[in-house]
Amino acid sequence: MYVVCFWTIPCCLVDNINRPAQITVRYERRSSLPAFARRRDGHFNAGQGKIGPSSIQGRLDKRLNPLTPPTVSTNYSPFRVKRDAVIIIFFLFSPLTTAMAAAARFLLRGAVSKASIANVNVGAQSSFGITLLRLSPNCSSKTKTQRRNAAHFTYHPDPVPTEYGPTTKMNLFQSVTSALDNTLASDPTAVIFGEDVAFGGVFRCTVGLRDKYGKDRVFNTPLCEQGIVGFGIGAAVAGATAIAEIQFADYIYPAFDQIVNEAAKYRYRSGNLFDCGNLTIRAPWGCVGHGSLYHSQSPEAFFAHCPGIKVVIPRGPVQCKGLLLSCIADQNPCIFFEPKILYRAAVEQVPTEAYTIPLSQAEVIQEGSDVTLVAWGTQIHVLREVANMAQEKLGVSCELIDLQTILPWDTETVCKSVAKTGRLLISHEAPITGGFAAEISSTVQEQCFLNLEAPIARVCGYDTPFPHIFEPFYIPDKWKCFDAIKKLISY
Amino acid sequence: MATLNSIKNMYGICSHAIRQTTGLRAAKLIQQRAFRVNGALRQQPFDSSEEKPQFPGASAEFIDHLEFIQPNVISGIPVYRVMDRAGKIINPSEDPQLSKEQVLNFYQKMTLLNTMDRILYESQRQGRISFYMTNYGEEGTHIGSAAALDPRDLVFGQYREAGVLMYRGFPLDLFMAQCYANVDDLGKGRQMPVHYGSKDLNFVTISSPLATQIPQAAGAAYAAKRENTNRAVICYFGEGAASEGDAHAGFNFSATLECPLIFFCRNNGYAISTPTNEQYRGDGIAARGPGYGMMSIRVDGNDVFAVYNATKEARRRAVAENQPFLIEAMTYRIGHHSTSDDSSAYRSVDEVNYWDKQDHPISRLRHYMTARSWWSEEDERSWRKQSRKMVMEAFEKAEKRHKPHPDLMFSDVYEEMTPNLVKQKEAMWRHVQQYKEHYPLDAYAK
């Protein structure tokens, strides 16, 4: 650590507090060290054949264009060795270097703990890896465009709810833990299971619950989604409140048969003799910035086509806890998708006691008169910004609706709004063809045909698998939505 | 108890067989491993000092020469039986020594099931019901296992377990009602025939997708374990369904989560037209049990006492020790897969006749009873007449009943009726009122 600090000034730059940190390091020229520390013979001046520039401009030039890394000459005289040794030892133990090392360590530790979403390896390998990264000659500083992007939305917290009792600050995953805590406390038959839930879960949604309620109530299952959901159905049929976790919504498909053919149809096919209404399935959902094909999917459309289950997606911690508790209480099998990008990013004041938010009721978050905007989950926050932009730049007043429950969905609220505004924009990350926007669009044109002033706009993902490096181009960001509003208004 | 000894002996036989086929030093290790595999495998505490494998995944012993374990296809797990094909008890200590009433009840239930099957199969051929599946040849598996359970035990079936429901007392009227989908059907006319269910008799409604019930049974058993009321769960499936991923999931979950569950596999030789040698290459389903850390046994499914003994002991231990048991009942599907199948397309009539005449659970039990003078020709004739009369009465009654009210098409999708379903129901009735001559409203309840 000290040696590294001496030869370089590591700038552990974390531009944006929201993104999981990846340390970028810029190499500073040795010319930025005090003059007496610089060699006079020019050997330490990488690739230029001259002593490090004495002018500030020159120094700045070098700093801004550090294309070649510092190299080390091996031409030592005994005098120079001794002198350099003194300098080295001085700097090794100087307060300046100590402070720099401490700062670097602090930022490293912070960076490591933020890396949980990407499941970066921690422990024995990482410090070696990080050091290697810094010393690597190819690891030049990145220009702005090469750095990982900031989130595509700004989180807008809900106002503090007053009707449910005392509140405390929670992020989304903490609101999930709180809901599960309330459930396990009040319902002795409740059990939580899935892959890795025992230690707290890969997204920390079940931290502390096993210790508090026992290993027969919060337990790991083998790695098998069809088994997790099948097991959950059976437990629910036998009377237990079963809360199953699927580690990522992208991995829910092995359980598709159990969900669609069994859970959804249990009550109907048995003539109401048997049902699995006590089953709730939770899964992290939606894009996260770097999730790519298999950690970013939004599969709500597949399940929207299945009568008998309910599909619910919250936009923030207050909604999350209330909707999750409603799903658990609901006597129908429910799938609860949790926007994973909001797990840490979304922080609100959430009631500590249990409370429910009704299912199948869309919420009008913002009233307006010109355009109806419909979305769910993370996309609500994108559209909030779009609504503000539309107001400021176009003078367009938008009515923003959070659908919350995808199935069965609240057609009345949406149609009532479109009857008022005459224009509808629906937005979701999932691919546009067969996405849930198509269902909303179809129903609205059936019921509000004569009210429509413009074709219904759908701003969605493209019909491709969710890409990795192309995510900024793929997602229905605020500019695409803004542009769609412009077209709606000028139709 | 005698059965325990014989189960332990079986492992001895197994390993003896293995030793003979492999004939190498490795065989001794397999024998030792066979005993250790029973019971839950716990992760050993890490100890770097011993010259012993410390892998968290498995920690048997090191071996220094290359040897593949041979799947013991030839000898295989032996088949437990109590009676021979002529109904004579082989080992008197294995005779469950059930009372005359109990044995007569077994016999009457098996034959009543057989009679109901014949009549309902015919009714499908005559176009009275849409579909039917018979249970010919497998009556022993149903009655023997059902008798060994507690009435509170939850049953998850596949579709060829009607005898379990019959043993528990499901009336003929309700069997017929489900097949005719009439207004008395507990399932409200929503499913094809033979998809029975009964909440009172703890028989979960049958569904068509195969093996989906297997992980569900594991979940139900876990919930029953937490309830702590000494309740077991039994899960029936065929050897074909055991190839499904859900079967693997169910076995693994029940073993790792320590569920009081009996897996009952009816290995009847065929999955529609697919014979067992195209279904699996290993030693049947029972041989898979040890792979999951599960207690397993293979029984003669046509011997109602063997099935009874195995199920009874498995149930007792499953609840007492919170672990799953796998019973593979070897039997033969004498009938076609269903009324949509003609099995002469893929098997010989001689093969079917052998099982019908030489090794049938009903005749084996009858020989047992006649040997004790519990059943005579006169009894047989009068019971045949009586059972046929019972079935025909229920049949004729069921035929005359109306179908359920069409409103029942829209209820129970959710616990509550949702607004869009209310709208759809109203739309349907508006349409039907306008075009009523094209809809068979007369057959349905008003």
Side-chain angles (χ1 to χ4, degrees), chain A residues 188 216 219 222 224 226-228 230-231 234-235 238 257-258 262 266 268-271 273-274 308-310 331-332, chain B residues 188 190-191 199 203-205 207 212 215-216 219-220 222 226-227 245-246 249 252-253 256 409 411-412 414-416:
Chain A
D216 62 321
F219 52 92
C224 178
Q226 66 192 111
I228 290 169
F231 180 92
D257 183 41
Q258 286 282 352
E262 297 288 314
Y266 232 91
Y268 188 80
R269 74 186 185 203
S270 69
L273 294 177
F274 299 96
I309 50 169
K310 295 195 176 182
Q331 284 304 300
N332 298 292
Chain B
K188 300 179 187 169
R190 290 158 180 163
Q191 290 214 83
K199 182 127 184 105
F203 189 95
V204 180
T205 305
S207 71
T212 49
Q216 291 173 20
Y222 190 88
R226 287 207 69 242
E227 266 174 25
D246 271 341
N252 200 18
F253 274 59
T256 52
M409 176 166 66
S411 58
D412 300 329
Y414 295 97
E415 190 203 23
E416 71 282 4

Side-chain angles (χ1 to χ4, degrees), chain A residues 338-355:
Chain A
E338 301 163 359
K340 64 176 83 67
I341 201 173
L342 299 181
Y343 273 143
R344 290 178 187 275
V347 183
E348 283 173 354
Q349 287 287 334
V350 181
T352 47
E353 300 297 314
Y355 62 98

Side-chain angles (χ1 to χ4, degrees), chain A residues 349-423:
Chain A
Q349 287 287 334
V350 181
T352 47
E353 300 297 314
Y355 62 98
T356 54
I357 290 174
L359 301 182
S360 295
Q361 276 186 33
E363 188 180 333
V364 180
I365 296 176
Q366 188 179 303
E367 292 206 1
S369 53
D370 300 328
V371 180
T372 301
L373 306 176
V374 175
W376 47 91
T378 317
Q379 201 64 10
I380 285 290
H381 305 289
V382 175
L383 287 186
R384 252 206 253 253
E385 249 184 282
V386 172
N388 291 339
M389 281 161 70
Q391 183 67 67
E392 281 165 26
K393 301 192 178 154
L394 307 170
V396 166
S397 153
C398 295
E399 180 149 297
L400 178 57
I401 299 179
D402 181 1
L403 203 59
Q404 293 184 342
T405 302
I406 306 303
L407 181 77
W409 67 283
D410 184 357
T411 54
E412 208 182 303
T413 303
V414 175
C415 289
K416 199 167 111 192
S417 172
V418 177
K420 180 172 75 171
T421 63
R423 293 174 188 84

Side-chain angles (χ1 to χ4, degrees), chain B residues 312-360:
Chain B
K312 194 143 187 85
E313 179 63 9
R315 195 235 174 248
R316 186 188 70 78
R317 288 186 64 184
V319 172
E321 299 164 23
N322 282 323
Q323 60 167 320
F325 278 76
L326 173 59
I327 301 174
E328 185 184 16
M330 308 306 291
T331 179
Y332 188 83
R333 193 196 78 207
I334 291 173
H336 306 299
H337 166 71
S338 70
T339 48
S340 309
D341 177 49
D342 176 11
S343 60
S344 63
Y346 50 82
R347 60 182 182 179
S348 71
V349 175
D350 291 337
E351 180 187 311
V352 178
N353 277 332
Y354 165 78
W355 289 97
D356 198 21
K357 304 277 181 298
Q358 313 287 349
D359 191 349
H360 197 290

Side-chain angles (χ1 to χ4, degrees), chain A residues 263-279:
Chain A
K265 299 172 166 64
Y266 232 91
R267 190 189 293 276
Y268 188 80
R269 74 186 185 203
S270 69
N272 203 19
L273 294 177
F274 299 96
D275 68 84
C276 58
N278 291 329
L279 173 67

